[in-house]
Amino acid sequence: MLPFNPNQTLVTGAFEGEVGILRSSGKFPFLKVMGIGNLEAAVNLSEYLFQNKQIQQIVFLGSCGAYEWSGISINSVVSPNQVYTKELSHALNLSKQIPESPESFNLRSDKDFPEVSCNAPTTISLAELKNPPEESWKSLDVENLELFGISKVAAKFSIPVTAYFAVTNLVGLNGSVDWAKNWKNLSHDLQNQFLQQFST
């Protein structure tokens, strides 16, 4: 995993289960849960960065679902290099999406892990998604609910973001059920792997 200075880095996740092992280690002076969903994460991160001016890097540990067409396996760990927020209802012509500017954000990915393009919509996709619903989705690999909000706020502060995601499920009808079965063990594995670089 990428080296960083713990005294200048915010380590974060959406909820306590994604960072609890790291918190218990006592090795990360700036560790804060940011909440579930783009909006909650963005609001909380903005407040945190205003209060902690020394932060120069953000590391986000979380989970994601893989789109079936990506070929990414459950139980793997990925590091996004780009994030969008595309709504499935718009792709299916059920709604009109409000445009984002910019449309996407680049991340400081860790090339020791598969680099992926992440979608971070405001809702969990529960439709059957064997194939991309429209052309612009073909390059999307995984789905997470917070990364776009975090990246948008970080960009305002000119702070790079590195994300590590445990792939817990395939996006689709059973995605939430499979996530509930898998997230805890996979998150613990990811946190322990992350912790190993600080074991000396």
Side-chain angles (χ1 to χ4, degrees):
M1 292 183 162
L2 293 178
F4 66 87
N5 182 349
N7 295 314
Q8 297 176 329
T9 302
L10 168 62
V11 177
T12 187
F15 61 98
E16 188 62 27
E18 293 181 332
V19 295
I21 292 173
L22 302 182
R23 188 185 303 283
S24 296
S25 75
K27 295 180 181 291
F28 306 98
F30 298 101
L31 189 151
K32 176 78 172 174
V33 168
M34 290 300 152
I36 296 172
N38 284 315
L39 180 58
E40 185 79 7
V43 169
N44 289 331
L45 178 59
S46 182
E47 181 181 20
Y48 188 88
L49 293 177
F50 275 121
Q51 295 173 354
N52 294 276
K53 305 287 190 183
Q54 63 271 64
I55 299 300
Q56 296 182 18
Q57 166 79 20
I58 295 170
V59 177
F60 177 40
L61 276 72
S63 61
C64 67
Y67 293 120
E68 195 162 337
W69 59 83
S70 71
I72 294 169
S73 302
I74 296 174
N75 300 330
S76 58
V77 174
V78 296
S79 184
N81 56 18
Q82 197 166 33
V83 61
Y84 296 81
T85 180
K86 293 180 179 288
E87 300 295 344
L88 181 59
S89 60
H90 174 79
L92 299 176
N93 294 315
L94 298 174
S95 68
K96 184 171 178 62
Q97 183 164 358
I98 298 170
E100 287 283 351
S101 181
E103 181 186 32
S104 66
F105 293 95
N106 294 323
L107 291 91
R108 182 182 287 172
S109 59
D110 185 337
K111 294 176 173 53
D112 286 340
F113 297 87
E115 293 182 283
V116 295
S117 180
C118 180
N119 188 28
T122 59
T123 57
I124 298 170
S125 300
L126 296 177
E128 184 173 330
L129 283 176
K130 300 286 186 186
N131 300 296
E134 66 174 13
E135 186 71 21
S136 69
W137 284 57
K138 286 184 176 179
S139 63
L140 299 176
D141 301 303
V142 300
E143 183 172 292
N144 166 271
L145 297 178
E146 295 81 30
L147 187 57
F148 190 86
I150 285 173
S151 299
K152 186 161 190 167
V153 170
K156 295 287 187 185
F157 286 82
S158 300
I159 297 174
V161 176
T162 299
Y164 296 97
F165 290 153
V167 182
T168 55
N169 58 277
L170 292 177
V171 177
L173 291 171
N174 297 315
S176 289
V177 174
D178 291 340
W179 177 87
K181 291 177 185 173
N182 296 329
W183 79 264
K184 191 169 188 177
N185 287 338
L186 295 179
S187 176
H188 286 184
D189 289 346
L190 175 59
Q191 290 178 72
N192 284 322
Q193 187 175 352
F194 188 75
L195 195 55
Q196 282 178 2
Q197 67 179 316
F198 299 97
S199 60
T200 56

